[in-house]
């Protein structure tokens, strides 16, 4: 009987690296055209930023419509939900340090600056896509010897 060889190759382990935002919250001088666009037409800017991130283009309109419609139904909205969720999603996707309390405060009090920072981060990450360095692992080779099976008929 011939021996069967089984080759098992271990996958490299990738450890996520916690990073920080590529630009500060008030770093509008880094990208004046985007900041002017956000200042003069924040809804359009938020929609284009959301689209760059791969989400629905019209999603930020919930922040605008929600502020006027939801209180009419007795549901007060303090935090813009799409701004907050986009900020958390960007932090999660790009492994950016921070916490939900910081995101809530920035989403409530610095909406324009928050959208500008998110736009700069998306453009930075798309421009400088990080390459993951994987090391080749030596395969583990195991040889299995077949055993004889005797079946006796009764």
């Amino acid at each position: 009987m011939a021996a069967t060889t089984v080759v098992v190759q271990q996958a490299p382990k990738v450890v996520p690296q916690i990073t920080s935002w590529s630009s500060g919250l008030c770093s509008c001088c880094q990208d004046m055209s985007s900041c002017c666009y956000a200042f003069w037409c924040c809804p359009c800017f938020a929609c284009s930023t959301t689209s760059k991130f791969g989400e629905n283009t019209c999603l930020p309109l919930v922040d605008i419509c929600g502020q006027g419609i939801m209180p009419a139904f007795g549901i007060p909205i303090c935090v813009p939900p799409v701004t907050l969720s986009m900020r958390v999603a960007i932090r999660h996707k790009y492994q950016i340090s921070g916490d939900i309390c910081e995101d809530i405060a920035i989403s409530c009090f610095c909406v324009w600056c928050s959208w500008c920072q998110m736009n700069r981060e998306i453009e930075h990450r798309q421009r400088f896509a990080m390459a993951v360095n994987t090391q080749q692992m030596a395969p583990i080779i195991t040889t299995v010897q077949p055993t004889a099976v005797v079946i006796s008929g009764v």
Side-chain angles (χ1 to χ4, degrees):
M1 295 193 157
T4 304
T5 303
V6 177
V7 178
V8 179
Q9 186 156 357
Q10 297 175 344
K13 294 181 181 179
V14 178
V15 178
Q17 181 180 357
I18 302 297
T19 61
S20 59
W21 291 93
S22 63
S23 64
L25 184 63
C26 298
S27 298
C28 288
C29 293
Q30 288 183 356
D31 187 12
M32 286 300 282
S33 61
S34 293
C35 287
C36 287
Y37 179 25
F39 179 76
W40 293 110
C41 191
C42 190
C44 298
F45 182 75
C47 289
S48 63
T49 301
T50 306
S51 178
K52 284 181 191 176
F53 190 62
E55 294 294 330
N56 189 320
T57 305
C58 298
L59 192 61
L61 299 178
V62 172
D63 281 355
I64 298 161
C65 297
Q67 298 291 335
I69 295 173
M70 297 308 281
F73 293 104
I75 304 170
I77 295 179
C78 299
V79 180
V82 176
T83 303
L84 177 62
S85 61
M86 276 290 294
R87 191 164 180 84
V88 170
I90 288 171
R91 271 196 323 99
H92 178 72
K93 181 176 181 178
Y94 299 130
Q95 298 292 320
I96 298 172
S97 63
D99 58 18
I100 191 72
C101 293
E102 180 184 338
D103 292 334
I104 290 171
I106 290 171
S107 296
C108 285
F109 301 112
C110 305
V111 177
W112 288 275
C113 293
S114 176
W115 279 107
C116 288
Q117 184 183 35
M118 290 188 288
N119 184 63
R120 286 191 303 270
E121 191 67 33
I122 293 166
E123 287 179 352
H124 175 77
R125 299 295 176 132
Q126 288 175 347
R127 197 175 322 128
F128 301 108
M130 291 200 286
V132 177
N133 184 10
T134 58
Q135 298 175 353
Q136 290 291 343
M137 303 282 291
I140 300 170
I141 300 175
T142 307
T143 304
V144 179
Q145 295 292 336
T147 57
V149 178
V150 178
I151 301 175
S152 61
V154 179

PDB file of all heavy atoms in Angstrom, residues 124-154:
ATOM      1  N   HIS A 124      -7.310  59.870   2.496  1.00  0.00           N
ATOM      2  CA  HIS A 124      -5.965  59.458   2.908  1.00  0.00           C
ATOM      3  C   HIS A 124      -5.814  57.943   2.840  1.00  0.00           C
ATOM      4  O   HIS A 124      -4.812  57.431   2.325  1.00  0.00           O
ATOM      5  CB  HIS A 124      -5.686  59.953   4.328  1.00  0.00           C
ATOM      6  CG  HIS A 124      -4.385  59.477   4.890  1.00  0.00           C
ATOM      7  ND1 HIS A 124      -3.180  60.019   4.522  1.00  0.00           N
ATOM      8  CD2 HIS A 124      -4.103  58.489   5.786  1.00  0.00           C
ATOM      9  CE1 HIS A 124      -2.210  59.398   5.163  1.00  0.00           C
ATOM     10  NE2 HIS A 124      -2.737  58.468   5.940  1.00  0.00           N
ATOM     11  N   ARG A 125      -6.800  57.219   3.342  1.00  0.00           N
ATOM     12  CA  ARG A 125      -6.718  55.750   3.358  1.00  0.00           C
ATOM     13  C   ARG A 125      -6.825  55.175   1.953  1.00  0.00           C
ATOM     14  O   ARG A 125      -6.213  54.154   1.652  1.00  0.00           O
ATOM     15  CB  ARG A 125      -7.805  55.155   4.249  1.00  0.00           C
ATOM     16  CG  ARG A 125      -7.716  55.583   5.695  1.00  0.00           C
ATOM     17  CD  ARG A 125      -6.458  55.082   6.376  1.00  0.00           C
ATOM     18  NE  ARG A 125      -6.362  55.595   7.729  1.00  0.00           N
ATOM     19  CZ  ARG A 125      -6.085  54.881   8.780  1.00  0.00           C
ATOM     20  NH1 ARG A 125      -5.839  53.593   8.664  1.00  0.00           N
ATOM     21  NH2 ARG A 125      -6.012  55.440   9.974  1.00  0.00           N
ATOM     22  N   GLN A 126      -7.600  55.817   1.083  1.00  0.00           N
ATOM     23  CA  GLN A 126      -7.701  55.322  -0.291  1.00  0.00           C
ATOM     24  C   GLN A 126      -6.423  55.631  -1.073  1.00  0.00           C
ATOM     25  O   GLN A 126      -6.012  54.863  -1.927  1.00  0.00           O
ATOM     26  CB  GLN A 126      -8.914  55.939  -0.987  1.00  0.00           C
ATOM     27  CG  GLN A 126     -10.219  55.394  -0.479  1.00  0.00           C
ATOM     28  CD  GLN A 126     -11.434  56.081  -1.076  1.00  0.00           C
ATOM     29  OE1 GLN A 126     -11.324  57.130  -1.703  1.00  0.00           O
ATOM     30  NE2 GLN A 126     -12.591  55.499  -0.865  1.00  0.00           N
ATOM     31  N   ARG A 127      -5.802  56.753  -0.766  1.00  0.00           N
ATOM     32  CA  ARG A 127      -4.573  57.156  -1.452  1.00  0.00           C
ATOM     33  C   ARG A 127      -3.393  56.301  -1.019  1.00  0.00           C
ATOM     34  O   ARG A 127      -2.577  55.872  -1.820  1.00  0.00           O
ATOM     35  CB  ARG A 127      -4.285  58.624  -1.151  1.00  0.00           C
ATOM     36  CG  ARG A 127      -3.310  59.265  -2.099  1.00  0.00           C
ATOM     37  CD  ARG A 127      -3.117  60.759  -1.855  1.00  0.00           C
ATOM     38  NE  ARG A 127      -4.322  61.452  -1.482  1.00  0.00           N
ATOM     39  CZ  ARG A 127      -4.459  62.240  -0.412  1.00  0.00           C
ATOM     40  NH1 ARG A 127      -3.435  62.434   0.392  1.00  0.00           N
ATOM     41  NH2 ARG A 127      -5.595  62.837  -0.144  1.00  0.00           N
ATOM     42  N   PHE A 128      -3.297  56.067   0.266  1.00  0.00           N
ATOM     43  CA  PHE A 128      -2.180  55.295   0.814  1.00  0.00           C
ATOM     44  C   PHE A 128      -2.707  53.995   1.410  1.00  0.00           C
ATOM     45  O   PHE A 128      -2.721  53.828   2.623  1.00  0.00           O
ATOM     46  CB  PHE A 128      -1.449  56.103   1.898  1.00  0.00           C
ATOM     47  CG  PHE A 128      -0.899  57.398   1.400  1.00  0.00           C
ATOM     48  CD1 PHE A 128      -1.484  58.595   1.765  1.00  0.00           C
ATOM     49  CD2 PHE A 128       0.192  57.422   0.555  1.00  0.00           C
ATOM     50  CE1 PHE A 128      -0.976  59.799   1.303  1.00  0.00           C
ATOM     51  CE2 PHE A 128       0.700  58.623   0.089  1.00  0.00           C
ATOM     52  CZ  PHE A 128       0.114  59.811   0.466  1.00  0.00           C
ATOM     53  N   ALA A 129      -3.144  53.110   0.544  1.00  0.00           N
ATOM     54  CA  ALA A 129      -3.641  51.818   1.014  1.00  0.00           C
ATOM     55  C   ALA A 129      -2.495  51.071   1.678  1.00  0.00           C
ATOM     56  O   ALA A 129      -1.402  50.966   1.136  1.00  0.00           O
ATOM     57  CB  ALA A 129      -4.207  51.010  -0.134  1.00  0.00           C
ATOM     58  N   MET A 130      -2.770  50.595   2.887  1.00  0.00           N
ATOM     59  CA  MET A 130      -1.720  49.900   3.625  1.00  0.00           C
ATOM     60  C   MET A 130      -1.542  48.490   3.082  1.00  0.00           C
ATOM     61  O   MET A 130      -2.508  47.779   2.843  1.00  0.00           O
ATOM     62  CB  MET A 130      -2.080  49.847   5.105  1.00  0.00           C
ATOM     63  CG  MET A 130      -2.029  51.193   5.759  1.00  0.00           C
ATOM     64  SD  MET A 130      -1.896  51.145   7.530  1.00  0.00           S
ATOM     65  CE  MET A 130      -3.513  50.660   8.034  1.00  0.00           C
ATOM     66  N   ALA A 131      -0.281  48.121   2.872  1.00  0.00           N
ATOM     67  CA  ALA A 131       0.032  46.765   2.432  1.00  0.00           C
ATOM     68  C   ALA A 131       0.309  45.924   3.666  1.00  0.00           C
ATOM     69  O   ALA A 131       1.029  46.323   4.560  1.00  0.00           O
ATOM     70  CB  ALA A 131       1.249  46.779   1.519  1.00  0.00           C
ATOM     71  N   VAL A 132      -0.287  44.765   3.691  1.00  0.00           N
ATOM     72  CA  VAL A 132      -0.078  43.856   4.808  1.00  0.00           C
ATOM     73  C   VAL A 132       1.100  42.962   4.467  1.00  0.00           C
ATOM     74  O   VAL A 132       1.142  42.325   3.422  1.00  0.00           O
ATOM     75  CB  VAL A 132      -1.343  43.005   5.063  1.00  0.00           C
ATOM     76  CG1 VAL A 132      -1.100  42.007   6.170  1.00  0.00           C
ATOM     77  CG2 VAL A 132      -2.514  43.901   5.388  1.00  0.00           C
ATOM     78  N   ASN A 133       2.093  42.942   5.336  1.00  0.00           N
ATOM     79  CA  ASN A 133       3.278  42.131   5.139  1.00  0.00           C
ATOM     80  C   ASN A 133       3.015  40.740   5.703  1.00  0.00           C
ATOM     81  O   ASN A 133       2.854  40.575   6.894  1.00  0.00           O
ATOM     82  CB  ASN A 133       4.480  42.781   5.827  1.00  0.00           C
ATOM     83  CG  ASN A 133       5.753  42.009   5.564  1.00  0.00           C
ATOM     84  OD1 ASN A 133       5.786  41.115   4.740  1.00  0.00           O
ATOM     85  ND2 ASN A 133       6.806  42.365   6.287  1.00  0.00           N
ATOM     86  N   THR A 134       2.961  39.758   4.823  1.00  0.00           N
ATOM     87  CA  THR A 134       2.756  38.390   5.283  1.00  0.00           C
ATOM     88  C   THR A 134       4.040  37.615   5.061  1.00  0.00           C
ATOM     89  O   THR A 134       4.660  37.696   4.008  1.00  0.00           O
ATOM     90  CB  THR A 134       1.601  37.711   4.523  1.00  0.00           C
ATOM     91  OG1 THR A 134       1.896  37.725   3.130  1.00  0.00           O
ATOM     92  CG2 THR A 134       0.287  38.434   4.781  1.00  0.00           C
ATOM     93  N   GLN A 135       4.418  36.876   6.061  1.00  0.00           N
ATOM     94  CA  GLN A 135       5.611  36.054   5.959  1.00  0.00           C
ATOM     95  C   GLN A 135       5.196  34.645   5.562  1.00  0.00           C
ATOM     96  O   GLN A 135       4.193  34.126   6.048  1.00  0.00           O
ATOM     97  CB  GLN A 135       6.349  36.021   7.285  1.00  0.00           C
ATOM     98  CG  GLN A 135       6.834  37.378   7.738  1.00  0.00           C
ATOM     99  CD  GLN A 135       7.457  37.305   9.118  1.00  0.00           C
ATOM    100  OE1 GLN A 135       7.418  36.281   9.777  1.00  0.00           O
ATOM    101  NE2 GLN A 135       8.029  38.405   9.558  1.00  0.00           N
ATOM    102  N   GLN A 136       5.978  34.047   4.687  1.00  0.00           N
ATOM    103  CA  GLN A 136       5.691  32.688   4.267  1.00  0.00           C
ATOM    104  C   GLN A 136       6.043  31.731   5.398  1.00  0.00           C
ATOM    105  O   GLN A 136       7.112  31.823   5.989  1.00  0.00           O
ATOM    106  CB  GLN A 136       6.489  32.321   3.013  1.00  0.00           C
ATOM    107  CG  GLN A 136       6.036  33.044   1.777  1.00  0.00           C
ATOM    108  CD  GLN A 136       4.664  32.580   1.314  1.00  0.00           C
ATOM    109  OE1 GLN A 136       4.180  31.531   1.721  1.00  0.00           O
ATOM    110  NE2 GLN A 136       4.024  33.362   0.479  1.00  0.00           N
ATOM    111  N   MET A 137       5.140  30.884   5.714  1.00  0.00           N
ATOM    112  CA  MET A 137       5.372  29.879   6.747  1.00  0.00           C
ATOM    113  C   MET A 137       5.751  28.576   6.044  1.00  0.00           C
ATOM    114  O   MET A 137       5.211  28.251   4.994  1.00  0.00           O
ATOM    115  CB  MET A 137       4.098  29.664   7.574  1.00  0.00           C
ATOM    116  CG  MET A 137       3.546  30.923   8.225  1.00  0.00           C
ATOM    117  SD  MET A 137       4.413  31.405   9.682  1.00  0.00           S
ATOM    118  CE  MET A 137       3.955  30.111  10.781  1.00  0.00           C
ATOM    119  N   ALA A 138       6.652  27.851   6.641  1.00  0.00           N
ATOM    120  CA  ALA A 138       7.031  26.556   6.087  1.00  0.00           C
ATOM    121  C   ALA A 138       5.873  25.581   6.283  1.00  0.00           C
ATOM    122  O   ALA A 138       5.278  25.532   7.364  1.00  0.00           O
ATOM    123  CB  ALA A 138       8.280  26.031   6.783  1.00  0.00           C
ATOM    124  N   PRO A 139       5.514  24.840   5.237  1.00  0.00           N
ATOM    125  CA  PRO A 139       4.403  23.909   5.381  1.00  0.00           C
ATOM    126  C   PRO A 139       4.770  22.745   6.313  1.00  0.00           C
ATOM    127  O   PRO A 139       5.922  22.347   6.404  1.00  0.00           O
ATOM    128  CB  PRO A 139       4.149  23.406   3.959  1.00  0.00           C
ATOM    129  CG  PRO A 139       5.404  23.680   3.216  1.00  0.00           C
ATOM    130  CD  PRO A 139       6.069  24.836   3.896  1.00  0.00           C
ATOM    131  N   ILE A 140       3.787  22.232   6.991  1.00  0.00           N
ATOM    132  CA  ILE A 140       3.964  21.079   7.858  1.00  0.00           C
ATOM    133  C   ILE A 140       3.559  19.849   7.051  1.00  0.00           C
ATOM    134  O   ILE A 140       2.436  19.769   6.552  1.00  0.00           O
ATOM    135  CB  ILE A 140       3.086  21.207   9.119  1.00  0.00           C
ATOM    136  CG1 ILE A 140       3.482  22.461   9.895  1.00  0.00           C
ATOM    137  CG2 ILE A 140       3.197  19.964   9.979  1.00  0.00           C
ATOM    138  CD1 ILE A 140       2.529  22.791  11.013  1.00  0.00           C
ATOM    139  N   ILE A 141       4.470  18.912   6.914  1.00  0.00           N
ATOM    140  CA  ILE A 141       4.198  17.715   6.111  1.00  0.00           C
ATOM    141  C   ILE A 141       4.036  16.531   7.052  1.00  0.00           C
ATOM    142  O   ILE A 141       4.890  16.272   7.903  1.00  0.00           O
ATOM    143  CB  ILE A 141       5.328  17.454   5.101  1.00  0.00           C
ATOM    144  CG1 ILE A 141       5.452  18.659   4.163  1.00  0.00           C
ATOM    145  CG2 ILE A 141       5.089  16.165   4.340  1.00  0.00           C
ATOM    146  CD1 ILE A 141       6.608  18.584   3.210  1.00  0.00           C
ATOM    147  N   THR A 142       2.934  15.851   6.888  1.00  0.00           N
ATOM    148  CA  THR A 142       2.643  14.685   7.706  1.00  0.00           C
ATOM    149  C   THR A 142       2.416  13.500   6.776  1.00  0.00           C
ATOM    150  O   THR A 142       1.681  13.605   5.795  1.00  0.00           O
ATOM    151  CB  THR A 142       1.371  14.918   8.548  1.00  0.00           C
ATOM    152  OG1 THR A 142       1.525  16.125   9.271  1.00  0.00           O
ATOM    153  CG2 THR A 142       1.111  13.778   9.489  1.00  0.00           C
ATOM    154  N   THR A 143       3.046  12.398   7.086  1.00  0.00           N
ATOM    155  CA  THR A 143       2.852  11.196   6.282  1.00  0.00           C
ATOM    156  C   THR A 143       1.993  10.228   7.077  1.00  0.00           C
ATOM    157  O   THR A 143       2.270   9.942   8.244  1.00  0.00           O
ATOM    158  CB  THR A 143       4.198  10.539   5.944  1.00  0.00           C
ATOM    159  OG1 THR A 143       5.015  11.513   5.285  1.00  0.00           O
ATOM    160  CG2 THR A 143       4.017   9.333   5.064  1.00  0.00           C
ATOM    161  N   VAL A 144       0.961   9.742   6.442  1.00  0.00           N
ATOM    162  CA  VAL A 144       0.029   8.816   7.092  1.00  0.00           C
ATOM    163  C   VAL A 144       0.210   7.453   6.447  1.00  0.00           C
ATOM    164  O   VAL A 144       0.093   7.304   5.227  1.00  0.00           O
ATOM    165  CB  VAL A 144      -1.427   9.302   6.931  1.00  0.00           C
ATOM    166  CG1 VAL A 144      -2.390   8.340   7.577  1.00  0.00           C
ATOM    167  CG2 VAL A 144      -1.583  10.698   7.461  1.00  0.00           C
ATOM    168  N   GLN A 145       0.510   6.468   7.249  1.00  0.00           N
ATOM    169  CA  GLN A 145       0.656   5.097   6.760  1.00  0.00           C
ATOM    170  C   GLN A 145      -0.716   4.421   6.787  1.00  0.00           C
ATOM    171  O   GLN A 145      -1.402   4.464   7.800  1.00  0.00           O
ATOM    172  CB  GLN A 145       1.633   4.312   7.649  1.00  0.00           C
ATOM    173  CG  GLN A 145       3.051   4.837   7.610  1.00  0.00           C
ATOM    174  CD  GLN A 145       3.702   4.613   6.257  1.00  0.00           C
ATOM    175  OE1 GLN A 145       3.330   3.731   5.505  1.00  0.00           O
ATOM    176  NE2 GLN A 145       4.688   5.451   5.956  1.00  0.00           N
ATOM    177  N   PRO A 146      -1.111   3.821   5.684  1.00  0.00           N
ATOM    178  CA  PRO A 146      -2.406   3.144   5.685  1.00  0.00           C
ATOM    179  C   PRO A 146      -2.348   1.874   6.547  1.00  0.00           C
ATOM    180  O   PRO A 146      -1.308   1.245   6.675  1.00  0.00           O
ATOM    181  CB  PRO A 146      -2.641   2.812   4.213  1.00  0.00           C
ATOM    182  CG  PRO A 146      -1.303   2.818   3.591  1.00  0.00           C
ATOM    183  CD  PRO A 146      -0.452   3.765   4.405  1.00  0.00           C
ATOM    184  N   THR A 147      -3.442   1.580   7.142  1.00  0.00           N
ATOM    185  CA  THR A 147      -3.532   0.363   7.945  1.00  0.00           C
ATOM    186  C   THR A 147      -4.348  -0.669   7.187  1.00  0.00           C
ATOM    187  O   THR A 147      -5.236  -0.330   6.415  1.00  0.00           O
ATOM    188  CB  THR A 147      -4.202   0.662   9.312  1.00  0.00           C
ATOM    189  OG1 THR A 147      -5.472   1.219   9.067  1.00  0.00           O
ATOM    190  CG2 THR A 147      -3.364   1.621  10.116  1.00  0.00           C
ATOM    191  N   ALA A 148      -4.020  -1.909   7.437  1.00  0.00           N
ATOM    192  CA  ALA A 148      -4.733  -2.994   6.780  1.00  0.00           C
ATOM    193  C   ALA A 148      -6.039  -3.246   7.522  1.00  0.00           C
ATOM    194  O   ALA A 148      -6.076  -3.311   8.750  1.00  0.00           O
ATOM    195  CB  ALA A 148      -3.885  -4.244   6.766  1.00  0.00           C
ATOM    196  N   VAL A 149      -7.094  -3.358   6.772  1.00  0.00           N
ATOM    197  CA  VAL A 149      -8.410  -3.630   7.362  1.00  0.00           C
ATOM    198  C   VAL A 149      -8.828  -5.023   6.906  1.00  0.00           C
ATOM    199  O   VAL A 149      -8.848  -5.314   5.707  1.00  0.00           O
ATOM    200  CB  VAL A 149      -9.438  -2.564   6.902  1.00  0.00           C
ATOM    201  CG1 VAL A 149     -10.802  -2.878   7.465  1.00  0.00           C
ATOM    202  CG2 VAL A 149      -8.989  -1.186   7.301  1.00  0.00           C
ATOM    203  N   VAL A 150      -9.117  -5.854   7.847  1.00  0.00           N
ATOM    204  CA  VAL A 150      -9.517  -7.224   7.528  1.00  0.00           C
ATOM    205  C   VAL A 150     -11.007  -7.339   7.825  1.00  0.00           C
ATOM    206  O   VAL A 150     -11.444  -7.071   8.942  1.00  0.00           O
ATOM    207  CB  VAL A 150      -8.727  -8.247   8.364  1.00  0.00           C
ATOM    208  CG1 VAL A 150      -9.186  -9.654   8.062  1.00  0.00           C
ATOM    209  CG2 VAL A 150      -7.238  -8.079   8.123  1.00  0.00           C
ATOM    210  N   ILE A 151     -11.751  -7.693   6.826  1.00  0.00           N
ATOM    211  CA  ILE A 151     -13.174  -7.893   7.010  1.00  0.00           C
ATOM    212  C   ILE A 151     -13.434  -9.379   6.874  1.00  0.00           C
ATOM    213  O   ILE A 151     -13.141  -9.996   5.859  1.00  0.00           O
ATOM    214  CB  ILE A 151     -13.984  -7.113   5.954  1.00  0.00           C
ATOM    215  CG1 ILE A 151     -13.653  -5.619   6.056  1.00  0.00           C
ATOM    216  CG2 ILE A 151     -15.464  -7.372   6.137  1.00  0.00           C
ATOM    217  CD1 ILE A 151     -14.301  -4.789   5.000  1.00  0.00           C
ATOM    218  N   SER A 152     -13.967  -9.930   7.899  1.00  0.00           N
ATOM    219  CA  SER A 152     -14.235 -11.367   7.855  1.00  0.00           C
ATOM    220  C   SER A 152     -15.735 -11.568   7.744  1.00  0.00           C
ATOM    221  O   SER A 152     -16.504 -10.885   8.363  1.00  0.00           O
ATOM    222  CB  SER A 152     -13.674 -12.064   9.081  1.00  0.00           C
ATOM    223  OG  SER A 152     -14.292 -11.543  10.252  1.00  0.00           O
ATOM    224  N   GLY A 153     -16.104 -12.442   6.929  1.00  0.00           N
ATOM    225  CA  GLY A 153     -17.524 -12.754   6.769  1.00  0.00           C
ATOM    226  C   GLY A 153     -17.933 -13.873   7.702  1.00  0.00           C
ATOM    227  O   GLY A 153     -17.233 -14.832   7.897  1.00  0.00           O
ATOM    228  N   VAL A 154     -19.024 -13.745   8.356  1.00  0.00           N
ATOM    229  CA  VAL A 154     -19.488 -14.747   9.305  1.00  0.00           C
ATOM    230  C   VAL A 154     -20.486 -15.629   8.647  1.00  0.00           C
ATOM    231  O   VAL A 154     -21.250 -15.407   7.837  1.00  0.00           O
ATOM    232  CB  VAL A 154     -20.091 -14.087  10.547  1.00  0.00           C
ATOM    233  CG1 VAL A 154     -20.583 -15.120  11.516  1.00  0.00           C
ATOM    234  CG2 VAL A 154     -19.116 -13.149  11.160  1.00  0.00           C
TER     235      VAL A 154
END
